[in-house]
Amino acid sequence: AALTPEEPGPRFRATPRRAATTMREVRAALMEADHKEGPPADGASFRRAVVKKLGDYVTAWGILDVKGTGELTYRDFVVGCRAMCFSGNLKQIFSDLTHGEAVLLPDDLCPGLQAMLLRRTAEGGTC
């Protein structure tokens, strides 16, 4: 007797050596797959993604601020995000981070980031 899709059956785990071959095994593998978070869609998810991908905000700012001006227009922000291979709703993220202002400052990304950048510059480091 064949099992229906709703009926519980033996659990299948897809591994590199054992691929799913039946539709039931494919469905089971899909149900167990880790659901990754999609691309950042707001300021908070962008901040989490930056820390996860780059480790810290100082590194992120160094990549975002290509011109080294200490502030980012929306266009600069988009160029920096593309350099970090970020996608998502960049317009919404920029708006969330800047609270509707025309430029993004280091402290908009992370409170205290401007002071960290100044300290690093004073110590002779680069961002």
Side-chain angles (χ1 to χ4, degrees):
L3 296 174
T4 64
E6 295 79 28
E7 220 175 315
R11 301 302 283 169
F12 174 82
R13 272 200 140 28
T15 64
R17 295 188 186 270
R18 183 172 175 209
T21 55
T22 67
M23 285 306 291
R24 181 184 186 97
E25 293 171 343
V26 169
R27 269 192 232 106
L30 289 173
M31 295 296 264
E32 290 180 10
D34 293 332
H35 297 290
K36 292 185 177 184
E37 194 174 308
D42 60 14
S45 62
F46 180 77
R47 287 182 180 108
R48 283 192 304 274
V50 162
V51 170
K52 183 177 180 181
K53 184 169 190 148
L54 302 172
D56 61 67
Y57 293 111
V58 173
T59 303
W61 188 262
I63 295 169
L64 286 170
D65 190 13
V66 176
K67 296 178 184 174
T69 60
E71 62 182 34
L72 303 174
T73 63
Y74 174 68
R75 178 173 273 183
D76 297 335
F77 178 72
V78 170
V79 169
C81 286
R82 287 183 180 155
M84 293 188 297
C85 298
F86 271 101
S87 60
N89 189 344
L90 298 181
K91 188 171 239 170
Q92 181 63 48
I93 294 168
F94 186 82
S95 179
D96 285 355
L97 294 175
T98 63
H99 306 289
E101 297 295 322
V103 294
L104 177 69
L105 301 172
D107 285 344
D108 294 332
L109 183 60
C110 172
L113 180 57
Q114 181 68 40
M116 285 187 272
L117 293 169
L118 290 173
R119 231 182 351 266
R120 180 173 269 196
T121 304
E123 294 170 357
T126 58
C127 295

